[in-house]
Amino acid sequence: MAIQLVTQSVGDALVTSLRERILADEITAGTAVTEASVATEYKVARQTAKAGIERLVGEGLLERTAHRSARVPLLDETRVQDLYFARGVIEVRAYELLASKRLLTPEALTAHEAFQACSTGSNVADIVQADVAFHRALIDGLESDRLSRAHSVIINEIRLCLAQVQNAHLLAPAEIAEEHQTIITAIRDGNVPRAGEVGLEHLRHAERNLLEYLRR
Amino acid sequence: MAIQLVTQSVGDALVTSLRERILADEITAGTAVTEASVATEYKVARQTAKAGIERLVGEGLLERTAHRSARVPLLDETRVQDLYFARGVIEVRAYELLASKRLLTPEALTAHEAFQACSTGSNVADIVQADVAFHRALIDGLESDRLSRAHSVIINEIRLCLAQVQNAHLLAPAEIAEEHQTIITAIRDGNVPRAGEVGLEHLRHAERNLLEYLRR
DNA sequence: TCCCGAAAATTGTTCGTCAAGTTATCTCAC
DNA sequence: GTGAGATAACTTGACGAACAATTTTCGGGA
């Protein structure tokens, strides 16, 4: 068996870079992301740029209608609600299943500790990153490619919202860490209903904060 | 306000057509779907064909690795298990939520009746179609675009499996209709845990049948 | 000011080309 | 005959240019 090399096509690299920049709020909402601009910026063919944009549209990180430029979608109330509702459907059931199996992967625990570690710091992007990583690690524990993928799409769009809000109205990191701990405890105890409840409560807090920010 | 016309780009039409043909098992698993063949068959440019194929790869209806032709994925055990697991996570929680709201849309009831109507017939494709439509209608009742979308991707891949199996090993349509009825009843009664349980049971039956077929 | 039409910008789609990687074929040594 | 290696054929990756269709912008009249 030959050693496997990890290669990446130009198109893949382009999508990865664009995705990062969007999630980092470097490409701000509302500004046009034209095929030509991406093409010249990255020195790639327009077709390549087009393909990349289309993939991101598929992920919900860009929006476009026919013959008009793609844009990073603007955060609005219905979007946030839809996003957290869909996320809740997946995560609540996932946490219940994890609890029923008392399944806590080392990755999830590591992610939790990593969050606690950087929660004392002030870098908001890091905190968001660590928060997302924790939830992702929990879902990944169920070892379902399809579920992880569905969850990932939704959570990426949520990261988009968080990026736009920035440090403005996040919960206190300490509070988030505490809620994460209750989720872990519920799973470890095999307390199925509680795992679902605290998971849902955790999401509700995040959603409420975002909505309050939007309504001000 | 002008009257809105529904138009469709060539690319969209191509994807729609290919998706239908794949789900109808007209493009059988394993056979190569090359960019050139699609291009000549539909008389479109290779670029257009490529874009269409890539979109279907994103939906899980085609598989491809770098520099090799796309193929309709072959049904195998782990795939079926992953698919039904992910579907279960979404549907179980969705049915519980529907029950907690006693939410039964006219569309869902209509879909149920439509299934019963064609369950006496022998056309397998119609039955699969009606079955999928019923579950879709239930999920759509929650009115979450993101959830419907995530569910749709998974269920399309399941349709792929069902298409490959054909009439071979489906449950008896009458049995399916009966299980659908129990789901509806549980939702109507607002019996939350039961809605989740019978939903899960329904999926388990379908999964078990598919797996038995695969293992023979 | 408001509306209309021309110009500019942008996407949709096609063609042709070359490079790079994969698969199939064929030959030659053994 | 058979296996290994070279060769050819096929396929995708990426680019550049071009034209049509559509949207947006903008300037000039009424």
Side-chain angles (χ1 to χ4, degrees), chain B residues 9-11 43-48 67-68:
Chain B
S9 73
V10 174
K43 287 246 185 26
V44 296
R46 187 162 75 93
Q47 288 289 357
T48 310
H67 292 282
R68 297 177 55 210

Side-chain angles (χ1 to χ4, degrees), chain A residues 9-12 43-48 66-68:
Chain A
S9 72
V10 173
D12 288 345
K43 288 243 185 26
V44 297
R46 186 161 74 92
Q47 289 292 350
T48 310
H67 292 281
R68 297 177 54 210

Side-chain angles (χ1 to χ4, degrees), chain B residues 52-184:
Chain B
I53 288 173
E54 267 165 11
R55 277 174 60 178
L56 291 172
V57 168
E59 289 182 28
L61 260 42
L62 285 177
E63 275 183 351
R64 184 175 53 167
T65 58
H67 292 282
R68 297 177 55 210
S69 322
R71 290 162 198 284
V72 175
L74 246 174
L75 185 55
D76 75 342
E77 238 175 87
T78 57
R79 171 181 293 265
V80 168
Q81 285 170 339
D82 191 56
L83 237 21
Y84 272 95
F85 177 77
R87 180 179 171 184
V89 169
I90 291 180
E91 287 200 12
V92 167
R93 176 75 183 151
Y95 296 160
E96 289 175 353
L97 285 170
L98 287 171
S100 74
K101 299 177 181 177
R102 294 174 196 263
L103 179 55
L104 279 172
T105 61
E107 288 81 11
L109 295 172
T110 307
H112 176 48
E113 283 162 23
F115 181 88
Q116 290 176 314
C118 84
S119 72
T120 56
S122 53
N123 191 329
V124 182
D126 285 351
I127 293 175
V128 169
Q129 169 63 34
D131 182 40
V132 167
F134 171 69
H135 289 281
R136 247 199 254 269
L138 284 177
I139 301 292
D140 288 347
L142 289 170
E143 290 183 315
S144 166
D145 289 346
R146 308 272 180 327
L147 189 67
S148 289
R149 187 165 157 65
H151 180 252
S152 188
V153 170
I154 292 172
I155 223 167
N156 266 345
E157 225 179 309
I158 288 184
R159 272 177 74 185
L160 197 58
C161 297
L162 295 179
Q164 286 174 26
V165 170
Q166 285 291 3
N167 43 16
H169 290 257
L170 281 171
L171 279 177
E175 213 167 319
I176 299 179
E178 201 176 307
E179 291 183 359
H180 285 181
Q181 183 61 58
T182 64
I183 295 174
I184 288 183

Side-chain angles (χ1 to χ4, degrees), chain A residues 71-87:
Chain A
R71 290 162 199 284
V72 175
L74 247 174
L75 185 56
D76 75 343
E77 237 175 88
T78 57
R79 172 182 291 266
V80 169
Q81 286 171 338
D82 192 55
L83 238 21
Y84 272 94
F85 176 78
R87 180 179 170 183

